[in-house]
Structures are given as C-alpha cells and as structure tokens.
Amino acid sequence: MTRQAPLIAELVNLATARRRGGASVQPLAGEDLVTAFAAQLGDQASASLRALPDAGPRLAELAAELRQALLAERPAGQASHINAMIRRYGAQPYLVEDVGQPFHLHFHGWGGTQVEALGGEFATALALIVDGYGPERFGACEAHQCEAVYIDLTRNASRRYCSAACTARAKTAAYRNRRQM
Ligand SMILES: [Zn+2]
C-alpha cells in the first residue's frame, strides 16, 4: 500500500496548497484538478476518472479530507479521521490481477465511481502506514513558503520537507542564518 503514498500527497498538494516550493500557487479545481491528477494514474483509472462528470468537486473533497487526516492531532485524531474515511468510502479488500502483475490486494471503495474507489484505496493506505510505521509519518513541509504535505516512509522517520527542492532550499537558508550570526 505504500505505493499509494506519493499519489496521496500529490492529490492533496495539487488541490489544497497555496504555496509550494517557495512560490505562490493556485490550488487546482474542476477540470484542471482532474487532468493533472489523472496524469499520475494508470490508463484505466485515468480514463474512468476523466469520464466522470463531477470528478472535479469529488476529488477536491477527497483531497480536503486527506489533508485533514494527514495533519490531524496524533494519534487519536489521526486515527478517527482515517477510520471515518474508511467507513465513508466503504473500503473493502479484494484481490485483483492487473496485466503483467500477479494477484494483489486492492481496497477500492464501493460507492461506484473512480473517486470512491480512490478514496477507499487512499484511506486504507494511510491506515496501513500508521499500522506499520506508527503515527508520526505524515506532515506539512517545514521549508519557507511551502504548504505541501508529505508521507514519510524513510527507515528512520527523518523527513521534514515535501521534496528534494525544499530540502535544498531549507539547507541553504539554515546556512545563511548561521553565517549571519
Ligand atoms: Zn515544500
């Protein structure tokens, strides 16, 4: 399920971040959000998402819920947000055989649209990350002028920034601060 982690962070960041990597950005909505996010998915999921008439508002809602879950108070608030999403999207485990892959477990929600399918997958992925890695694995980027979230799957839970670019910016800023002291 950890393969979902970059997708979850990307959806949240596309739809909710007003500052990213040191610059102001416009959170995406409607068709722009659908197009940008669908480009990250496999062919089939991408096509079903783009075919859904109200995919934009549904995706935006999912992104807002995910952001709340990622940044909720730990551990109890986080667990209750994730549990609420699992119930809401009706995530249920079942084995799927994709082309070129052996049977593997999916947790699609059963609301019928691609957004509910993703909601179930993503909520379950967060639950499995908390279960396997502990509650301290989600955060908001600590670099200046960035509201992006990240999911930390490093061995030693060392992540503080959303991207390599923000890590580099933060290092440069810290170096400058030290020189000025
Ligand atoms: Zn950042």
Side-chain angles (χ1 to χ4, degrees), residues 26-141:
Q26 184 68 40
L28 298 182
E31 280 307 304
D32 293 342
L33 177 59
V34 176
T35 307
F37 186 63
Q40 320 270 329
L41 301 173
D43 290 347
Q44 211 183 324
S46 171
S48 354
L49 189 63
R50 282 183 283 111
L52 187 66
D54 56 350
R58 281 167 183 264
L59 265 187
E61 198 179 330
L62 173 58
E65 288 175 319
L66 287 166
R67 186 175 187 99
Q68 278 193 327
L70 290 173
L71 302 181
E73 191 189 333
R74 297 158 194 165
Q78 179 185 70
S80 84
H81 270 96
I82 295 172
N83 284 338
M85 289 189 72
I86 290 174
R87 278 195 303 274
R88 179 174 143 92
Y89 288 98
Q92 47 188 1
Y94 65 101
L95 287 164
V96 182
E97 185 183 33
D98 289 330
V99 180
Q101 284 188 60
F103 275 100
H104 57 281
L105 204 50
H106 273 260
F107 293 89
H108 283 189
W110 56 323
T113 77
Q114 187 60 33
V115 174
E116 270 106 24
L118 287 167
E121 278 296 317
F122 289 176
T124 308
L126 295 186
L128 288 170
I129 290 168
V130 171
D131 183 66
Y133 293 78
E136 305 290 330
R137 294 303 185 133
F138 313 134
C141 183

Side-chain angles (χ1 to χ4, degrees), residues 158-180:
S158 58
R159 195 161 170 183
R160 297 291 174 269
Y161 307 105
C162 71
S163 60
C166 275
T167 306
R169 286 197 307 121
K171 273 189 188 151
T172 310
Y175 175 73
R176 256 193 236 122
N177 282 345
R178 276 198 305 275
R179 294 210 8 164
Q180 279 163 8

